[in-house]
């Protein structure tokens, strides 16, 4: 049942069919911080209380038209948007909506002179909506943040000088310049001798990529060290970052569609109670001797007032409100109540590696020396690495070596191999195996089996040892996998842009049987699409980078690491782990399952009480105040039940 927004519903979390595909992933919650959202309900509530007070004390002037006008004005702020929505639905051929039911019931209350009840019932509906709104007022949920990631200008060489233009206006074959810290705006070939690039946004590779002249570079990569020049090979619309944009938008369009329970229930419930009300009015004519049309019309209208689904409408969002609040206290942000439901159905979990189960920060994993004291060995190495700005150098310099600091002189860089220099009068080589081989230095065979980044060191032409640098596992990574198995998620898969050898090693440590590395964003998306071909698979994906955004959007539930994760991943995801702890995913599943249980308890409670009071109303044994009181009682019980989730 697709609806336009009405004033009281501006902040309501949308079901997935209500997403706008214009921007790829739009959750239009409006300005959730605006006090204006609450003004209609506050006005109606205030006027209702004053009116009831004036009625109770039988104030002389508050009678007849004064009373009618007063309650009509009280009704309008909360009632007009609903009546208008009901009328618009009727014009589209969708008659039996909850808007229609509430409209005829509350207007009927006015017809039979029960003005406070008419206002009260509509006010309860409005309050139910506001409960839901406040639970998700922080959820932005649109993909527009991608526009901030996209490079906004290119420094292109034209007419003997570099000028700034939009990347869309740069032609293939033109030369562009990228300064340190800037994003490469277009795909191309490196014209400079070398470049150090952060490609994690595109590939998920945790280590910055050092490339040589004529190597390919991709839009969205960040230049780390010196000014470089690139020859453009692709138009902007064909660039890597534009492809990711497109992937996200298309993947979002393929998201599964769900409807909130109350919408589906109203399709059946609403026409039944309307026809029953008509029956209450006319059928007694054939069976009752002293039939009075006005009396039975009165009963029918009471029946309609009783049958308004406000208790149901309140009980459902209140349950979700409790779940959303409990999740928030645990550092988990759900972007809408529907995702609390969706995550309970998950049976397949796909995860990224870097930044998700690992910290995304280089640390020394192992130091192996040959013929040297570890401290002295590290002092030689650190003296050399002080001359470098590479992330691996920074990891090595975090080593705390006691004793006198050494100083390196005559340090030179050997392209693609490493560093040569003099430390304490000794020649020191620091780099990869190619550097050692070119200087005729034998390297132990054990280094061949090391998959992580390794720094080899030779002192005075003798191999002195090596240091293994690795991305560290998060403290709760192992317990997360164990806990996921315990909550019934057996199918766990790791997809990473990092080297396959590293990915497989991390997967082995975590006891994940299915893992693939060396994947581009589109490769990750293909893997998830293959899983989705089996309708039995309900997939959640956990990631943190821009490269994860398409898969986050394509999954049944996208989960982003919010502390260190990219803005785009956070905007695209349905669930955000604000503490960056993967174990929070298990907590999110448990909270969601508890929430679903409470919501169904509230539904059964509300529906059960409703049926009892409906029967009493049809028999003339319940007044509208009793019906309203029954709704209030059910709502209070629903609130208390939902509070348990906190």
């Amino acid at each position: 049942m697709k609806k336009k927004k009405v004033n009281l519903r501006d902040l309501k979390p949308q079901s997935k069919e209500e997403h706008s595909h214009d921007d790829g992933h739009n959750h239009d919650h409006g300005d959730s911080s605006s006090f204006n959202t609450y003004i209609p309900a506050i006005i109606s509530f205030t006027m209702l209380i004053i009116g009831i007070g004036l009625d109770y004390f039988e104030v002389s002037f508050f009678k007849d038209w004064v009373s009618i006008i007063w309650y009509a004005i009280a009704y309008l702020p909360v009632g007009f948007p609903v009546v208008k929505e009901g009328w618009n639905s009727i014009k589209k051929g969708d008659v039996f909506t909850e808007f229609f039911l509430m409209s005829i019931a509350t207007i009927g209350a006015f017809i039979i002179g029960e003005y406070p009840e008419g206002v009260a019932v509509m006010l309860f509906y409005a309050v139910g909506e506001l409960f839901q709104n406040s639970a998700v007022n922080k959820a932005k949920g649109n993909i527009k943040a991608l526009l901030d990631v996209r490079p906004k200008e290119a420094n292109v060489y034209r007419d003997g000088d570099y000028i700034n233009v939009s990347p869309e206006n740069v032609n293939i074959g033109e030369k562009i310049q990228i300064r340190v810290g800037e994003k490469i705006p277009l795909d191309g070939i490196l014209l400079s001798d070398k470049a150090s690039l952060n490609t994690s946004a595109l590939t998920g590779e945790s280590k910055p990529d050092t490339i040589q002249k004529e190597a390919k570079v991709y839009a969205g990569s960040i230049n780390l060290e010196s000014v470089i020049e690139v020859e453009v090979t692709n138009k902007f619309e064909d660039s890597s970052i534009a492809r990711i944009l497109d992937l996200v938008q298309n993947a979002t369009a393929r998201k599964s569609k769900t409807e909130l329970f109350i919408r589906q229930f109203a399709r059946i419930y609403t026409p039944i109670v309307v026809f029953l009300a008509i029956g209450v009015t006319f059928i007694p004519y054939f069976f009752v001797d002293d039939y009075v049309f006005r009396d039975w019309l009165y009963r029918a209208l009471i029946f309609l007032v009783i049958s308004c689904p406000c208790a149901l409408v309140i009980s459902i969002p209140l349950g979700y409100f409790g779940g959303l609040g409990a999740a928030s206290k645990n550092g988990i942000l759900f972007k809408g109540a529907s995702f609390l439901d969706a995550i309970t159905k998950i049976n397949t979990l796909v995860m990224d590696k870097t930044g998700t189960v690992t910290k995304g920060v280089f640390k020394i994993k192992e130091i192996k020396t040959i013929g040297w004291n570890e401290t002295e060995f590290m002092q030689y190495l650190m003296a050399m690495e002080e001359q470098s700005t590479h992330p691996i150098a920074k990891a090595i310099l975090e080593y705390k070596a006691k004793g006198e600091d050494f100083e390196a002189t005559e340090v030179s860089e050997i392209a693609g191999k490493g560093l040569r220099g003099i430390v304490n009068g000794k020649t020191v080589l620091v780099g990869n195996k190619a550097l050692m081989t070119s200087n005729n230095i034998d390297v132990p065979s054990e280094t061949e089996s090391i998959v992580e980044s390794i720094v080899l060191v030779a002192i005075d032409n003798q191999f002195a040892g090596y240091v293994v640098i690795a991305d560290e596992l998060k403290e709760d990574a192992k317990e997360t996998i164990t806990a996921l198995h315990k909550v019934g998620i057996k199918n766990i898969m790791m997809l990473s842009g990092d080297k396959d050898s590293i990915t497989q090693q991390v997967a082995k440590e975590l006891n994940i049987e299915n893992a693939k590395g060396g994947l581009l964003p589109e490769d990750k998306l293909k893997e998830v699409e293959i899983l989705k071909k089996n309708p039995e698979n309900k997939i959640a994906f956990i990631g943190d980078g821009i490269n994860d955004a398409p898969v986050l959007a394509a999954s049944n539930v996208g989960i982003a690491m919010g502390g260190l994760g990219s803005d785009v991943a956070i905007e695209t995801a349905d669930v955000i782990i604000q503490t960056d702890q993967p174990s929070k995913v298990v907590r999110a599943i448990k909270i969601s399952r508890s929430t679903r249980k409470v919501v169904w308890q509230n539904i059964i409670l509300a529906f059960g009480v409703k049926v009892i009071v409906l029967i009493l109303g049809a028999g003339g044994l319940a007044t509208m105040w009793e019906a309203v009181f029954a709704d209030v009682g059910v709502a209070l019980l629903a609130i208390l039940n939902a509070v348990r989730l906190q």
Side-chain angles (χ1 to χ4, degrees):
M1 191 180 301
K2 219 171 216 181
K3 305 177 293 296
K4 290 182 179 177
K5 303 292 183 294
V6 294
N7 294 341
L8 291 169
R9 305 174 64 82
D10 282 347
L11 300 180
K12 183 165 185 179
Q14 298 172 333
S15 56
K16 289 187 179 181
E17 74 272 23
E18 294 173 307
H19 287 195
S20 166
H21 302 314
D22 295 340
D23 63 356
H25 196 83
N26 179 33
H27 304 247
D28 183 12
H29 299 301
D31 182 9
S32 59
S33 64
S34 174
F35 181 70
N36 293 340
T37 310
Y38 300 90
I39 289 176
I42 291 170
I43 292 172
S44 292
F45 176 74
T46 305
M47 293 188 70
L48 176 63
I49 296 300
I50 293 171
I52 290 172
L54 293 171
D55 273 335
Y56 181 79
F57 292 106
E58 298 182 351
V59 177
S60 58
F61 73 85
F62 196 70
K63 292 179 180 178
D64 301 326
W65 286 106
V66 174
S67 174
I68 294 171
I69 292 170
W70 179 269
Y71 284 117
I73 294 172
Y75 178 85
L76 285 175
V78 291
F80 178 72
V82 177
V83 174
K84 181 182 176 183
E85 187 63 38
W87 175 246
N88 287 338
S89 298
I90 291 170
K91 288 196 293 185
K92 294 175 183 175
D94 195 3
V95 177
F96 295 111
T97 64
E98 72 267 31
F99 307 115
F100 171 71
L101 177 58
M102 297 195 66
S103 298
I104 60 172
T106 52
I107 292 170
F110 271 80
I111 291 171
I112 60 176
E114 303 292 349
Y115 315 126
E117 292 88 331
V119 177
V121 170
M122 195 62 83
L123 181 61
F124 278 126
Y125 181 82
V127 170
E129 296 299 309
L130 292 174
F131 268 120
Q132 180 94 328
N133 300 340
S134 62
V136 291
N137 61 359
K138 291 183 180 179
K140 297 177 183 177
N142 62 60
I143 201 58
K144 291 177 183 175
L146 268 176
L147 301 176
D148 296 328
V149 176
R150 183 176 63 181
K152 294 178 174 62
E153 59 181 32
N155 203 18
V156 62
Y157 188 77
R158 288 178 183 170
D159 300 325
D161 198 7
Y162 283 99
I163 58 171
N164 286 328
V165 300
S166 170
E168 287 92 338
N169 296 328
V170 179
N171 299 314
I172 294 174
E174 288 195 290
K175 182 168 69 174
I176 56 174
Q177 185 185 73
I178 302 97
R179 303 181 187 92
V180 177
E182 290 183 343
K183 297 183 185 76
I184 295 175
L186 298 134
D187 295 348
I189 294 174
L190 182 65
L191 298 177
S192 304
D193 290 334
K194 65 169 186 172
S196 180
L197 306 176
N198 180 349
T199 61
S200 60
L202 300 171
T203 66
E205 172 64 64
S206 52
K207 186 173 69 174
D209 192 14
T210 300
I211 62 171
Q212 305 301 315
K213 187 174 183 177
E214 296 186 359
K216 290 182 179 180
V217 297
Y218 297 99
S221 303
I222 299 172
N223 181 25
L224 295 178
E225 289 185 357
S226 57
V227 177
I228 60 172
E229 293 180 340
V230 170
E231 181 182 326
V232 176
T233 57
N234 286 329
K235 295 282 285 182
F236 179 78
E237 56 266 27
D238 300 321
S239 65
S240 50
I241 196 73
R243 285 202 309 274
I244 288 178
L245 246 165
D246 184 59
L247 282 170
V248 173
Q249 290 173 329
N250 288 334
T252 304
R254 292 194 297 272
K255 268 197 176 266
S256 60
K257 296 182 178 182
T258 60
E259 275 192 302
L260 294 177
F261 169 80
I262 195 62
R263 306 294 171 239
Q264 297 172 319
F265 181 75
R267 290 173 186 266
I268 302 169
Y269 176 82
T270 308
I272 287 174
V273 296
V274 169
F275 286 118
L276 283 175
I278 295 170
V280 168
T281 306
F282 296 107
I283 291 176
Y285 172 79
F286 301 101
F287 301 98
V288 178
D289 293 333
D290 55 346
Y291 174 82
V292 179
F293 174 77
R294 182 181 177 82
D295 291 346
W296 287 99
L297 174 62
Y298 180 84
R299 286 190 186 188
L301 290 173
I302 291 175
F303 181 87
L304 279 176
V305 172
I306 295 168
S307 67
C308 284
C310 53
L312 280 171
V313 172
I314 290 173
S315 67
I316 297 170
L318 276 178
Y320 287 120
F321 180 75
L324 290 165
S328 181
K329 285 185 177 180
N330 281 272
I332 304 159
L333 175 63
F334 283 86
K335 285 193 173 179
S338 59
F339 302 120
L340 277 162
D341 265 345
I343 203 170
T344 63
K345 301 169 186 173
I346 295 303
N347 56 26
T348 301
L349 188 72
V350 183
M351 59 175 61
D352 179 42
K353 179 184 74 66
T354 308
T356 300
V357 293
T358 69
K359 294 180 178 178
V361 178
F362 285 110
K363 295 285 183 184
I364 295 174
K365 183 178 180 181
E366 182 186 359
I367 300 172
K368 180 70 178 288
T369 62
I370 298 175
W372 286 87
N373 169 276
E374 181 181 302
T375 301
E376 190 176 8
F377 168 82
M378 287 302 295
Q379 285 175 318
Y380 276 99
L381 174 57
M382 289 165 70
M384 293 291 290
E385 294 291 10
E386 280 178 351
Q387 310 297 314
S388 173
T389 58
H390 197 280
I392 285 180
K394 292 176 183 176
I396 290 171
L397 292 173
E398 286 182 8
Y399 182 87
K400 306 299 181 187
K402 296 179 181 178
E404 185 181 344
D405 288 339
F406 292 177
E407 186 175 347
T409 59
E410 300 179 29
V411 178
S412 60
E413 183 173 351
I414 299 148
K417 296 180 180 180
L419 302 171
R420 176 195 293 273
I422 306 296
V423 181
N424 284 3
K426 298 181 184 294
T427 301
V428 180
L429 297 171
V430 175
N432 55 25
K433 187 177 180 181
L435 178 64
M436 301 295 140
T437 303
S438 63
N439 286 275
N440 300 314
I441 296 169
D442 292 331
V443 178
S445 58
E446 66 190 72
T447 61
E448 300 291 336
S449 61
I450 297 173
V451 298
E452 296 98 337
S453 299
I454 183 171
V455 179
L456 307 175
V457 181
I459 302 174
D460 276 348
N461 291 319
Q462 293 294 317
F463 188 76
Y466 59 84
V467 176
V468 177
I469 306 292
D471 189 3
E472 199 175 4
L473 278 177
K474 290 181 178 178
E475 288 80 2
D476 60 341
K478 288 184 180 179
E479 69 179 68
T480 299
I481 305 304
T482 304
L484 283 167
H485 286 143
K486 285 182 179 177
V487 297
I489 297 179
K490 308 296 185 186
N491 188 12
I492 302 174
M493 184 178 190
M494 180 182 288
L495 302 176
S496 177
D498 214 340
K499 287 193 297 186
D500 188 59
S501 55
I502 294 177
T503 303
Q504 296 299 336
Q505 185 184 52
V506 171
K508 187 177 180 181
E509 282 186 64
L510 295 175
N511 196 27
I512 297 174
E513 294 181 3
N514 196 354
K516 294 184 180 182
L519 303 176
L520 292 170
E522 47 261 54
D523 299 326
K524 289 184 181 182
L525 186 60
K526 284 177 186 174
E527 292 292 337
V528 169
E529 293 289 3
I530 290 169
L531 290 172
K532 286 179 72 176
K533 286 181 180 177
N534 181 351
E536 298 295 317
N537 288 335
K538 301 299 178 185
I539 303 160
F541 180 85
I542 317 173
D544 72 314
I546 301 173
N547 58 299
D548 296 327
V551 199
L552 285 166
S555 305
N556 297 105
V557 179
I559 306 171
M561 293 293 159
L564 298 173
S566 98
D567 289 341
V568 178
I570 293 169
E571 291 295 336
T572 311
D574 306 313
V575 184
I576 298 168
I577 308 298
Q578 295 171 298
T579 60
D580 266 357
Q581 297 170 285
S583 58
K584 294 289 187 182
V585 174
V586 181
R587 174 70 65 181
I589 293 169
K590 289 181 177 178
I591 289 172
S592 298
R593 288 177 179 175
S594 296
T595 301
R596 187 172 176 80
K597 185 178 178 182
V598 165
V599 165
W600 276 101
Q601 287 171 351
N602 284 351
I603 288 170
I604 292 167
L605 172 69
F607 185 66
V609 172
K610 182 71 65 178
V611 169
I612 292 169
V613 181
L614 279 172
I615 293 169
L616 293 175
L621 300 176
T623 67
M624 275 188 282
W625 271 118
E626 288 167 337
V628 171
F629 178 77
D631 265 355
V632 173
V634 171
L636 287 173
L637 288 172
I639 290 169
L640 292 173
N641 198 23
V643 165
R644 295 191 301 116
L645 289 165
Q646 299 288 343

